[in-house]
Amino acid sequence: MYSRVFVRGCTAALTAALTLAGGQAYAASPGSGDQLRAARVVTYDAGASAEFKAAVDRGAAIWNESVDSVELRPAAAGQRANIRILADNGWPRALTTSLGNGTVYIGRQAVNEGYDTVRISAHELGHILGLPDRKPGPCTSLMSGSSAGVACTNPYPDAAEKAEVEGNFDAALARPASAARTTVIVD
């Protein structure tokens, strides 16, 4: 009995500590191994995404449905977002400053050529989550991007892409933040 109370107390303390450290913590229900799973919350600002706002929100929701170690949320009013999302007339691209941080451009050039806006949004958010382009690639691979063709509207990451994002954020949660790096990915 004492050990059960002790374990629950430790779990609650660890959950509170992880929450204060900047992420959300989720404790498993008793009997499921009492594992602790932390999710990093990454905020995005789609205020400048113009006509693509709904597609951006759907792309973020797809990632939230697909992975557990990171959660994409719209930034609250006055909150500095991890990701800025902008509409422009160029080709879609992502500039990452570090894992979970950067700027996404939803370029109208690809949309005008017939590419799906939700697939573009989910793909570019995938770069911010640490995924590279995988070209050429099939439609089943979200990160195949434009190489899958205009007819491809699949906005969902495949199993390998999901696992890679989980690994990226699990590793990031296990170590202190490292120096920022900038990567420009033009699709």
Side-chain angles (χ1 to χ4, degrees):
M1 166 101 168
Y2 174 75
S3 63
R4 185 179 303 156
V5 172
F6 178 76
V7 168
R8 286 185 183 156
C10 287
T11 301
L14 187 54
T15 300
L18 286 171
T19 301
L20 292 173
Q24 276 192 324
Y26 298 96
S29 60
S32 64
D34 288 327
Q35 297 171 345
L36 187 66
R37 177 81 174 175
R40 178 173 172 197
V41 174
V42 174
T43 58
Y44 66 92
D45 178 1
S49 63
E51 68 270 26
F52 306 119
K53 184 173 182 333
V56 169
D57 290 338
R58 183 64 192 128
I62 287 167
W63 277 109
N64 290 340
E65 296 164 11
S66 300
V67 296
D68 294 323
S69 60
V70 63
E71 180 182 349
L72 298 169
R73 287 189 195 160
Q79 179 185 19
R80 184 173 180 208
N82 298 96
I83 307 167
R84 287 184 48 219
I85 302 172
L86 310 166
D88 74 356
N89 293 324
W91 194 257
R93 60 205 178 279
L95 280 90
T96 61
T97 53
S98 62
L99 182 63
N101 296 284
T103 303
V104 166
Y105 295 87
I106 308 295
R108 291 182 182 99
Q109 181 179 350
V111 175
N112 292 341
E113 291 181 21
Y115 290 95
D116 183 72
T117 58
V118 176
R119 180 173 168 85
I120 292 169
S121 297
H123 174 93
E124 297 305 333
L125 288 169
H127 288 310
I128 300 294
L129 301 178
L131 298 178
D133 282 320
R134 297 209 166 80
K135 295 180 180 180
C139 184
T140 56
S141 168
L142 175 62
M143 300 314 292
S144 67
S146 62
S147 71
V150 176
C152 179
T153 60
N154 170 41
Y156 294 94
D158 65 21
E161 292 162 340
K162 292 175 191 179
E164 188 172 345
V165 168
E166 294 286 12
N168 290 344
F169 281 88
D170 284 345
L173 288 166
R175 68 177 185 275
S178 60
R181 62 186 167 93
T182 301
T183 305
V184 178
I185 300 174
V186 178
D187 296 314

